[in-house]
Amino acid sequence: MDMDIRSILQESEQKKIAIGHFNISDSVALHAIVAVARKLNVPVFIGTSEGEAGFIGYKQAAALVKSMREEFNHPIFLNADHSHSIETVKQAVEAGYDSIIFDGSKLLLEDNIKATKYAVEFIKSKNPDILVEGELGYIGSSSVLLDDIPEGAAIEEKDLTTIEEATRFVQETKVDLFSPAVGNLHGMFKHISNPRLNIERIKQIKETITIPMVLHGGSGIQDEDFVAAIEAGVNVIHINTEIRRAWRAGLEARLQEKPDEVAPYKLLDGSLEKISEVVYNRLTLFSRQ
Ligand SMILES: [Zn+2]
């Protein structure tokens, strides 16, 4: 299999498929995600947010991913998800991450462009191989179960990322990947599907910017919206809340089945099982298998 991150992204464009990006806090989720990606023979992105990387460790996450990529000779990449400062960007660079998201989406457009441009220049000066993603349009910041739309999140058509803003942002910051607000939200609703995506906007932005496009907040989005978004030009899709929910559900089930068990691996295999189901369903859909 191709092991080059850039040509894999190009290939996804030609084949009209998307690469799955799944977040981890521990090695349980990592093992589940990698096993499914290998089974389906598809590349995969592993993500750590600042909180997740703080828990597992930047260097430790990088060492784990690298060891699996080498052992299995499989394209598994590590992404520093939503880095909000140059300090965390630096930690990811030094640890050896394959890609880094600088997230200035809460800033005003001018400030976001300035901060993202600085992050791109900083990262490329340290290691030009690292891919840098920029974010435009605020979609909430936590992978949680939602009761309401996160405060300040762009969800109405007038608040979504415009074609003009996207073009300017990509040109001026020189990011490698771009993530817009197109009706997507971080987090997922407890009892209903997330809001619908604006497929037309995705298509229009993609036609103008031409670089790979990333869809955040994939948890809770309906299958038909994913299919349409991929068709419209989305190359990478992020899933986090569904992984977290599966982790907890799997663990809870085992705790109930085995109230006296104390061996972590005999309890956490419940999480592994549930996470694998989520990853399998998503990756088969994204890669159209
Ligand atoms: Zn995200």
Side-chain angles (χ1 to χ4, degrees):
M1 255 185 119
D2 197 341
M3 297 291 280
D4 180 68
I5 198 167
R6 286 173 172 80
S7 55
I8 285 170
L9 283 166
Q10 268 177 9
E11 214 175 293
S12 77
E13 186 75 50
Q14 286 149 8
K15 289 189 187 161
K16 290 265 178 207
I17 56 171
I19 301 160
H21 175 294
F22 304 95
N23 288 64
I24 62 158
S25 300
D26 63 16
S27 63
V28 176
L30 178 64
H31 280 291
I33 297 158
V34 169
V36 175
R38 288 179 64 210
K39 189 173 164 188
L40 293 171
N41 205 27
V42 294
V44 72
F45 273 104
I46 302 295
T48 59
S49 64
E50 289 176 337
E52 289 158 346
F55 186 77
I56 193 170
Y58 280 90
K59 286 191 175 160
Q60 288 68 39
L64 279 168
V65 168
K66 185 169 177 272
S67 73
M68 292 173 98
R69 179 160 63 202
E70 287 172 2
E71 181 181 354
F72 305 130
N73 192 31
H74 193 87
I76 310 158
F77 304 107
L78 182 60
N79 175 48
D81 202 9
H82 300 289
S83 307
H84 295 97
S85 70
I86 288 295
E87 285 68 45
T88 51
V89 162
K90 207 172 159 192
Q91 287 192 62
V93 169
E94 283 170 2
Y97 275 59
D98 302 294
S99 62
I100 297 174
I101 300 180
F102 181 79
D103 183 355
S105 62
K106 256 196 152 172
L107 305 170
L108 294 171
L109 179 66
E110 298 294 329
D111 298 333
N112 188 359
I113 288 177
K114 216 170 132 187
T116 306
K117 188 169 183 261
Y118 180 77
V120 172
E121 283 165 5
F122 175 82
I123 295 164
K124 300 290 179 182
S125 75
K126 301 286 178 193
N127 182 354
D129 288 342
I130 298 174
L131 290 177
V132 188
E133 180 183 325
E135 316 279 303
L136 186 60
Y138 182 63
I139 60 162
S141 32
S142 304
S143 297
V144 292
L145 297 172
L146 300 167
D147 289 308
D148 284 306
I149 288 174
E151 207 187 319
I155 201 71
E156 284 180 53
E157 186 155 0
K158 66 175 177 48
D159 299 323
L160 302 182
T161 305
T162 66
I163 296 132
E164 294 73 28
E165 286 167 349
T167 314
R168 208 189 131 196
F169 182 89
V170 169
Q171 270 174 3
E172 294 187 23
T173 60
K174 299 202 166 44
V175 289
D176 302 297
L177 300 107
F178 178 65
S179 161
V182 285
N184 48 329
L185 288 173
H186 281 127
M188 66 187 290
F189 283 85
K190 279 180 196 163
H191 307 295
I192 52 166
S193 290
N194 278 37
R196 305 302 298 261
L197 297 174
N198 190 320
I199 302 299
E200 198 45 42
R201 187 67 60 92
I202 295 174
K203 210 170 155 185
Q204 289 166 340
I205 293 175
K206 181 61 185 239
E207 277 166 6
T208 324
I209 63 166
T210 67
I211 62 170
M213 196 147 95
V214 182
L215 182 74
H216 282 251
S219 298
I221 289 178
Q222 296 173 40
D223 286 5
E224 57 177 297
D225 274 15
F226 277 133
V227 172
I230 295 166
E231 188 65 38
V234 163
N235 305 87
V236 180
I237 300 175
H238 281 231
I239 303 282
N240 191 356
T241 315
E242 286 180 10
I243 298 291
R244 292 178 169 190
R245 194 177 62 165
W247 183 91
R248 182 175 173 127
L251 179 59
E252 277 177 348
R254 282 294 186 277
L255 288 170
Q256 270 192 354
E257 286 161 30
K258 304 175 177 179
D260 296 321
E261 184 57 65
V262 292
Y265 64 90
K266 291 182 183 170
L267 294 169
L268 288 167
D269 66 339
S271 301
L272 192 109
E273 225 173 85
K274 286 276 181 217
I275 293 171
S276 302
E277 285 170 21
V278 170
V279 176
Y280 185 85
N281 286 334
R282 289 321 190 190
L283 283 182
T284 45
L285 183 72
F286 298 165
S287 63
R288 305 189 174 199
Q289 293 195 24

